[in-house]
């Protein structure tokens, strides 16, 4: 493949950088299509495209880099000539196709496969389109094309016709990379490699970039010196060099005959020193290349480790301050210091948690693309309205809701929003609106997907469920909520035909299973004729829950406080036993079944009489039951940890969501009240 | 290019671990586990029982904030359970990228056993028909049963099914 070593770290960096650029690119294109391709937007697109091209070329993913190059050509033309007659929807389609291609390649690279996609067809189409745009616009533009513009546009076309002979001016460049960017030698090689497209590289210092390990150090100290000859205008060369990733400063001057430091001689460009000073300002670097780095990306594993450590520290702190050895001592100063320690640890815990919080913005904005593609393919006019996208949730939560949101938006457009003609007949505006809203409420985040389309028909849902034998209880006893809930059953679809987007009855099943994995709850509300609202209730974070710790024998269990209704000690007379030995209790006229935890999990316990233990009533999805435990140990926030991989491999344990460490270092098992309910039945 | 150096040094490190076994005891028998699987040896910790697991998985323990499962190797080998005492150890191992603690009667030493001293399982098939042993090392007069760590973690029933 490449003639220099490409290691995993570089690949990882490439994937990370490129996926970010691709995401930005996709958004700018979709936005621009709706709001018009402004010069600012075109510049933004070009910047992203250029970075993708550069890093792909460095990593030798030629298909990606040539494709990006072709797209860049297209936007270069748009930027320089501002043609009037361009079919922007075709253009967007082309670019989005290209983006999809790169995404597929990225996936392959991520999976460790060869990026072997063939982009030549796409590139040919892009060239064709560019030629077409040129043809339709050039004729009446020739007069306008000013002398200043001509030389910049022309070299772009003549890029492939080789060198222009010996008369090429010679340039010298000195490049410094940002501190700590690492692998300076490989990055320098990237410059040489990329520059060979534009110029003839004569020499560079250090000479051996790849084989010699010390060259990175040399570049770090003395910069990367490069001599090359090129017929291209200096702006273009500078633009190319400035586009290099992690570039800190760059000096470029002509070296042939003319005095190198004389600024006037070098085509009126600013003095190197000025340039360098300007470069130091972060604002300038945004002009072409990497934006200023006020964000860093951290591997999630490291954050998890940090959180584990903080969790341990909180436990250790409790072990010190509540140490039994301190009992009965007069410890005024110790207590004061302990209080300070406690304040700092809890602040630290909050800070670590907040690092993991990510705004929903990126997840929400991705939906623009889906809305755009679908409304076009289905001949519907749909607008997506985002509300509260700045709401923050835990990183893990984001990963789990991205897919469900996509399915729900698809459903809203495919099933909900009617075709324009039908909408007008119903007295609604021709374009439908889908609202994606996020809001915070206590420890939960609510995500609402609202459409004002045709709504769900209860009669139709029931008929379909009857047909497929999915009804669990008599129709007359079902509440609206339960009827609407039918759409989440696997294999349930009210659509008669399967379309590109929906109809197989899989999507909603994915939604509900994905959500239940993160402890989310979904509910549907709909009015026939005026729209459907789907509400997702998601815990703010998966990592910490409020829990009530209970004791059964020597084992401890934690029940999420959110699902506890009440706890009480019953009188023996309240207990009802049916002939099968099932125990139930009557509370305020309702009958609840009792689960003896010690029996369910086979734990030895001395408490078997109800008058000695305690009943905890829990509710999940409207179904309530009582857990019987020995005693309540208290309520506290616990850090949720997954059960060890080996235990998970042994098979799913009924009703366990994970485990946690208590203040004394002992382990408590976290009960999953929903799964437990299913296990009892 | 410090990563490169690290990578280069890896096989070297592997070499020094090659052929070394941690010897532990179950009753009168000595067993050996390849030292590259072993992370550390700790004393017995309070064990939290996890329901619905095979008997030989005693539960989970808190190893400095990391929660790991512990397996009683006696029960795994269908030997009678013995009450834990102050000699009882947990060998923390990393097998197939999973951390798991092995509860053993006691730990004795680390031994280098060369390939030549190991009898392959085919020859000893009739003597010891245990699935978890991949060889017998004879050091001096003693015999050490060398564990096949991967098989140790496999589900018992699954292994049985496969052998049928």
């Amino acid at each position: 493949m490449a003639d220099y070593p490409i290691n995993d770290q570089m690949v990882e960096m490439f994937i990370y950088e490129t996926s970010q650029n691709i995401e930005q690119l996709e958004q700018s294109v979709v936005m621009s299509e709706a709001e018009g391709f402004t010069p600012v937007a075109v510049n933004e697109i070009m910047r992203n495209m250029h970075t993708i091209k550069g890093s792909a070329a460095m990593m030798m993913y030629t298909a990606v880099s040539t494709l990006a190059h072709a797209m860049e050509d297209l936007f270069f033309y748009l930027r320089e000539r501002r043609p009037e007659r361009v079919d922007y929807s075709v253009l967007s389609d082309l670019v989005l196709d290209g983006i999809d291609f790169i995404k597929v390649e990225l996936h392959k690279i991520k999976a460790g496969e060869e990026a072997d996609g063939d982009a030549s067809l796409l590139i040919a189409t892009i060239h064709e389109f560019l030629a077409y745009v040129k043809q339709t616009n050039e004729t009446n533009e020739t007069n306008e094309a000013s002398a200043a513009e001509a030389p910049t546009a022309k070299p772009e076309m003549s890029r492939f016709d080789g060198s222009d002979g010996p008369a090429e001016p010679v340039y010298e460049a000195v490049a410094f990379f940002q501190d700590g960017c690492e692998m300076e030698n490989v990055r320098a090689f990237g410059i040489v490699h990329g520059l060979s497209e534009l110029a003839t590289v004569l020499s560079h210092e250090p000479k051996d970039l790849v084989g010699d390990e010390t060259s990175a150090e040399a570049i770090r100290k003395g910069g990367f010196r490069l001599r090359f000859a090129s017929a291209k205008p200096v702006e273009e060369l500078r633009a190319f060099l400035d586009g290099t990733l992690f570039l800190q400063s760059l000096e470029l001057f002509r070296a042939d005959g003319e005095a190198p430091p004389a600024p006037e001689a070098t085509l009126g460009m600013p003095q190197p020193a000025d340039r360098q000073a300007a470069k130091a300002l972060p604002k300038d670097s945004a002009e072409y290349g990497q934006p200023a780095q006020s964000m860093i990306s951290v591997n999630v594993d490291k954050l998890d480790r940090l959180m584990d450590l903080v969790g341990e520290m909180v436990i250790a702190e409790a072990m010190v301050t509540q140490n039994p050895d301190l009992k009965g001592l007069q410890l005024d100063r110790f207590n004061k210091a302990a209080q300070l320690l406690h304040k700092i640890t809890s602040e630290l815990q909050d800070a670590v948690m907040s690092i993991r919080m990510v705004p929903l913005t990126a997840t929400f904005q991705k939906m623009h693309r889906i809305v755009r593609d679908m409304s076009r393919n289905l001949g519907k006019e749909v607008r997506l309205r985002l509300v509260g996208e700045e709401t923050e949730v835990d990183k893990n939560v984001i990963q789990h809701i991205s897919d469900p949101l996509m399915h729900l938006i698809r459903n809203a457009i495919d099933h909900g929003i009617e075709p324009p003609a039908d909408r007008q007949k119903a007295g609604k505006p021709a374009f439908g609106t889908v609202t994606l809203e996020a809001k915070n409420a206590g420890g939960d985040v609510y995500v609402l997907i609202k459409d004002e389309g045709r709504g769900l028909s209860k009669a139709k849902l029931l008929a379909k469920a009857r047909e497929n034998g999915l009804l669990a209880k008599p129709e007359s006893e079902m509440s609206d909520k339960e009827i609407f809930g039918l759409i989440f059953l696997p294999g349930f679809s009210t659509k008669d035909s399967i379309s590109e987007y929906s109809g197989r009855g899989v999507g909603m099943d994915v939604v509900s299973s994905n959500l239940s994995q993160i402890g989310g709850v979904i509910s549907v509300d709909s009015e026939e004729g005026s729209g459907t609202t789907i509400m997702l209730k998601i815990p703010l974070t998966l990592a910490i829950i409020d829990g009530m710790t209970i004791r059964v024998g020597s084992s401890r269990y934690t029940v999420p406080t959110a699902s506890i209704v009440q706890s009480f000690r019953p009188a023996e007379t309240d207990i009802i036993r049916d002939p099968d030995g099932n125990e139930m209790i009557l509370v305020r006229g309702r009958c609840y079944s009792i689960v003896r935890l010690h029996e369910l999990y086979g734990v030895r316990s001395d408490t078997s009489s109800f008058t000695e233990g305690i009943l905890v009533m829990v509710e999940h999805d409207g179904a309530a039951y009582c857990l019987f435990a020995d005693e309540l140990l208290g309520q506290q926030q616990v850090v949720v940890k997954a059960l060890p991989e080996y235990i998970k491999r042994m098979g799913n344990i009924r009703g366990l969501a994970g485990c946690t460490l208590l203040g004394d270092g002992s382990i408590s098992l976290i009960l999953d009240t929903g799964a437990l309910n299913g296990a009892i039945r | 290019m410090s990563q490169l150096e690290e990578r280069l040094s890896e096989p070297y490190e592997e070499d020094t671990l090659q052929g070394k076994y941690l010897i532990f005891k179950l009753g009168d028998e000595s067993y050996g586990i390849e030292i590259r699987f072993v992370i550390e040896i700790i004393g017995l910790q309070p064990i939290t029982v996890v329901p619905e697991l095979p008997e030989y998985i005693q539960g989970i323990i808190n190893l400095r904030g990391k929660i790991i499962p512990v397996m009683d190797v006696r029960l795994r080998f269908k030997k009678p359970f013995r009450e834990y005492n102050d000699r009882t150890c947990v060998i923390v191992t990393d097998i197939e990228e999973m951390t798991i603690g092995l509860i053993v009667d006691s730990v004795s030493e680390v031994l280098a056993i060369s390939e030549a001293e190991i009898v392959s399982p085919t020859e000893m098939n009739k003597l010891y028909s245990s699935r978890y042993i991949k060889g017998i090392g004879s050091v001096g007069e003693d015999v050490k049963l060398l564990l096949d760590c991967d098989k140790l973690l496999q589900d018992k029933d699954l292994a049985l099914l496969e052998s049928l």
Side-chain angles (χ1 to χ4, degrees):
Chain A
M1 228 174 107
D3 51 357
Y4 52 89
I6 288 181
N7 61 29
D8 294 350
Q9 212 189 358
M10 285 168 70
V11 174
E12 199 178 306
M13 197 168 66
F14 169 75
I15 290 171
Y16 174 76
E17 278 171 2
T18 310
S19 10
Q20 292 225 315
N21 277 310
I22 280 283
E23 230 164 72
Q24 273 176 19
L25 195 61
E26 190 170 19
Q27 266 165 40
S28 343
V29 172
V30 174
M31 285 290 176
S32 304
E33 193 191 15
E35 290 157 17
F37 282 83
T38 58
V40 178
V42 170
N43 272 332
E44 165 95 31
I45 292 170
M46 279 197 74
R47 221 169 12 239
N48 283 323
M49 204 77 88
H50 189 83
T51 320
I52 294 168
K53 181 178 87 170
S55 42
M58 189 173 116
M59 300 294 291
M60 298 287 184
Y61 298 126
T62 18
V64 175
S65 70
T66 44
L67 176 65
H69 180 79
M71 292 198 273
E72 207 186 341
D73 277 351
L74 193 59
F75 283 99
F76 184 79
Y77 181 80
L78 291 186
R79 186 178 73 174
E80 296 303 317
R81 295 304 190 84
R82 310 214 176 143
E84 277 153 21
R85 272 171 289 163
V86 179
D87 188 342
Y88 281 111
S89 70
V90 177
L91 176 88
S92 307
D93 276 344
L94 270 178
V95 179
L96 291 176
D97 280 349
I99 288 172
D100 288 344
F101 174 84
I102 298 175
K103 274 190 194 163
V104 171
E105 297 296 295
L106 272 180
H107 260 285
K108 286 187 205 163
I109 297 165
K110 230 186 264 180
E113 292 166 29
E114 195 86 359
D116 53 0
D118 185 9
S120 54
L121 202 69
L122 258 172
I123 295 171
T125 325
I126 292 170
H127 282 313
E128 233 170 70
F129 178 73
L130 179 61
Y132 172 76
V133 173
K134 275 183 187 161
Q135 210 186 1
T136 46
N137 289 284
E138 213 85 326
T139 39
N140 60 346
E141 227 188 53
T142 28
N143 303 337
E144 286 175 43
S146 66
E149 265 180 286
T152 39
K154 227 179 167 184
E156 208 33 47
M157 323 262 305
S158 65
R159 178 172 285 190
F160 301 103
D161 50 31
S163 66
D164 291 0
E168 289 178 349
V170 175
Y171 297 95
E172 256 181 42
V174 183
F176 282 90
F177 294 99
Q178 284 168 15
D179 286 347
C181 79
E182 293 196 5
M183 292 180 294
E184 286 84 353
N185 53 338
V186 181
R187 293 181 189 283
F189 186 85
I191 299 185
V192 176
H193 182 80
L195 203 60
S196 59
E197 248 181 50
L198 303 171
T200 326
V201 178
L202 300 173
S203 69
H204 50 77
E205 189 68 37
K207 283 198 178 58
D208 190 357
L209 288 172
V210 180
D212 189 359
E213 294 272 306
T214 58
S215 58
E217 190 56 45
I219 294 172
R220 227 170 283 161
K221 282 193 184 124
F224 176 56
R225 291 172 184 282
L226 186 68
R227 242 176 103 83
F228 58 93
S230 174
K232 302 277 183 271
V234 70
E235 289 83 6
E236 198 181 324
L237 296 168
R238 172 171 295 283
F240 168 79
L241 291 170
D242 274 353
T244 311
L245 293 176
F246 292 108
L247 193 72
Q248 176 149 38
S249 68
L250 173 82
E251 288 170 43
L252 178 69
F253 40 81
R254 279 184 77 153
D256 45 347
E258 294 164 62
E264 300 83 14
T266 56
L267 301 169
M269 58 179 237
Q271 215 168 351
D274 287 349
R275 185 76 199 173
Q276 201 164 354
K279 262 281 164 191
L281 294 171
K283 242 165 84 188
D284 191 58
S285 61
E287 180 195 306
Y288 208 102
Q290 284 280 352
Q293 287 213 335
S294 65
M295 307 277 264
I296 56 163
S297 51
V298 185
N299 195 326
V300 180
D301 289 347
K302 285 188 186 169
L303 288 184
D304 287 346
R305 175 94 192 101
L306 183 63
M307 193 146 86
D308 279 352
L309 281 172
V310 171
E312 275 171 58
M313 202 179 72
V314 171
I315 292 163
E317 183 220 319
M319 282 161 87
V320 172
T321 53
Q322 291 156 28
N323 200 307
D325 291 358
L326 301 173
K327 253 196 190 133
L329 297 176
Q330 180 77 24
L331 295 164
D332 289 345
R333 269 169 297 182
F334 176 84
N335 285 339
K336 218 171 166 186
Q339 235 164 37
L340 182 65
L341 179 66
H342 179 73
K343 188 168 163 271
I344 294 171
T345 46
S346 54
E347 255 175 49
L348 186 64
Q349 205 174 2
D350 286 349
V352 172
M353 288 305 300
S354 75
I355 296 179
R356 297 173 53 92
M357 302 297 266
V358 184
L360 281 164
T361 318
T363 316
F364 272 24
Q365 290 198 337
K366 257 191 245 166
M367 302 301 153
H368 277 298
R369 169 84 191 270
I370 291 158
V371 172
R372 169 199 179 270
D373 285 2
M374 276 188 75
S375 49
R376 184 179 287 209
N377 290 350
L378 296 171
K380 295 177 179 179
E381 288 172 41
V382 186
R383 274 188 207 168
L384 180 65
R385 200 163 67 96
L386 301 182
V387 182
E389 74 251 48
E390 68 286 339
T391 309
E392 290 190 333
V393 295
D394 192 89
K395 167 100 180 135
N396 287 344
V397 174
I398 292 235
Q399 280 168 352
H400 279 90
I401 64 164
S402 170
D403 273 2
L405 279 184
M406 192 183 73
H407 285 294
L408 291 172
I409 295 269
R410 283 178 160 197
N411 272 352
I413 299 173
D414 203 15
H415 298 272
I417 305 284
E418 313 91 328
D422 292 12
R423 288 185 64 87
Q424 270 161 344
K425 234 181 270 168
K428 298 180 191 175
F431 61 84
T433 308
V434 175
T435 310
L436 191 54
E437 183 179 346
K439 58 185 176 196
N440 258 320
D444 294 308
V445 171
Y446 289 87
V447 177
L448 298 133
I449 298 103
K450 258 184 265 181
D451 69 64
E452 25 98 280
R454 55 170 82 94
L456 291 169
S457 154
K458 276 186 248 173
K460 228 174 163 183
L461 285 174
L462 283 172
K464 198 77 190 178
R466 218 178 301 135
E467 213 173 276
N468 297 348
L470 294 168
L471 284 177
K473 58 176 171 176
E475 285 169 34
S476 53
E477 283 180 22
M478 286 178 83
S479 67
D480 281 5
K481 222 178 177 181
E482 282 171 312
I483 296 173
F484 293 136
L486 286 171
I487 60 170
F488 298 112
L489 293 174
F492 190 89
S493 174
T494 48
K495 267 218 142 180
D496 302 320
S497 63
I498 293 171
S499 75
E500 186 191 341
Y501 293 111
S502 61
R504 286 187 203 83
V506 179
M508 290 308 244
D509 183 33
V510 170
V511 171
S512 61
S513 70
N514 248 7
L515 266 168
S516 66
Q517 264 180 40
I518 53 168
V521 179
I522 187 165
S523 60
V524 187
D525 197 15
S526 180
E527 185 126 345
E528 198 168 352
S530 58
T532 307
T533 301
I534 293 176
M535 187 174 80
L536 314 178
K537 185 177 145 197
I538 305 157
L540 198 57
T541 167
L542 300 176
I544 288 192
I545 59 161
D546 232 341
M548 175 70 81
T549 305
I550 55 177
R551 184 179 65 84
V552 180
S554 59
S555 303
R556 275 123 205 241
Y557 298 95
T558 300
V559 186
T561 315
S563 55
I564 296 181
V565 184
Q566 58 168 329
S567 58
F568 55 99
R569 178 168 285 172
E572 194 64 52
T573 49
D574 295 340
I575 309 292
I576 309 163
R577 290 185 178 84
D578 75 359
D580 298 330
N582 294 324
E583 292 165 317
M584 281 162 287
I585 188 164
L586 207 60
V587 181
R588 287 188 292 275
R590 269 191 73 184
C591 195
Y592 301 94
S593 55
I594 296 175
V595 184
R596 284 170 180 260
L597 275 175
H598 63 103
E599 277 176 14
L600 182 71
Y601 285 147
V603 180
R604 228 178 306 148
S605 164
D606 305 327
T607 319
S608 60
S609 148
F610 286 115
T611 45
E612 286 166 36
I614 191 144
L615 281 179
V616 180
M617 190 192 289
V618 293
E619 189 176 16
H620 184 88
D621 275 355
Y625 55 96
C626 294
L627 294 171
F628 178 63
D630 292 5
E631 65 169 325
L632 297 181
L633 293 178
Q635 188 182 338
Q636 68 180 117
Q637 287 211 324
V638 294
V639 181
V640 181
K641 289 174 180 256
L643 287 167
E645 188 61 27
Y646 180 60
I647 302 239
K648 277 198 224 153
R649 234 203 239 183
M650 288 286 179
N652 244 334
I653 298 160
R654 288 183 297 165
L656 283 195
C659 51
T660 186
L661 294 176
L662 298 179
D664 58 359
S666 66
I667 302 170
S668 170
L669 299 172
I670 299 170
L671 297 179
D672 178 344
T673 47
L676 206 58
N677 191 20
I680 297 155
R681 287 176 184 175
Chain B
M1 291 275 137
S2 57
Q3 294 88 19
L4 209 72
E5 279 163 32
E6 263 169 42
R7 207 160 295 168
L8 279 173
S9 66
E10 256 169 42
Y12 174 72
E13 200 183 350
E14 292 266 310
D15 271 345
T16 63
L17 297 179
Q18 199 74 46
K20 285 199 176 156
Y21 293 83
L22 175 70
I23 308 297
F24 64 86
K25 287 206 152 186
L26 294 182
D28 296 332
E29 282 156 271
S30 293
Y31 290 83
I33 176 170
E34 269 181 82
I35 204 124
R36 66 184 167 99
F37 291 116
V38 178
I39 301 169
E40 64 181 313
I41 300 158
I42 54 172
L44 199 65
Q45 316 255 331
I47 297 173
T48 303
V49 179
V50 180
E52 297 186 17
L53 288 178
E55 196 192 8
Y56 57 84
I57 307 288
Q58 287 283 305
I60 48 183
I61 60 168
N62 170 14
L63 179 70
R64 294 187 302 280
K66 198 173 173 190
I67 290 165
I68 64 164
V70 283
M71 174 198 284
D72 189 316
V73 185
R74 268 181 169 271
L75 297 177
R76 183 71 171 125
F77 292 168
K78 298 213 177 75
K79 289 172 183 297
F81 178 76
R82 204 177 85 170
E83 279 300 321
Y84 299 142
N85 56 29
D86 55 355
R87 299 263 294 156
T88 308
C89 285
V90 179
I91 305 175
V92 182
T93 58
D94 189 4
I95 304 169
E96 287 176 39
E97 298 188 348
M98 288 185 296
T99 310
I100 177 163
L102 306 176
I103 304 175
V104 298
D105 286 0
S106 64
V107 173
S108 44
E109 59 188 327
V110 174
L111 267 187
I113 304 175
S114 67
E115 290 286 325
E117 291 167 313
I118 298 173
V119 184
S120 76
T122 44
E123 295 167 51
M124 59 162 207
N125 225 350
K126 289 183 185 98
L127 261 165
Y128 293 91
S129 57
S130 175
R131 289 187 303 275
Y132 312 116
I133 305 299
K134 66 170 181 187
I136 297 180
S138 48
V139 183
E141 290 168 14
D142 287 341
V143 174
K144 320 281 182 201
L145 299 147
L146 306 181
L147 284 187
D148 188 334
C149 287
D150 299 340
K151 289 226 176 83
L152 201 64
L153 296 201
Q154 269 165 25
D155 197 1
K156 182 170 56 181
D157 304 321
L158 203 77
L160 261 177
L161 272 178
E162 276 167 359
S163 67
L164 284 176

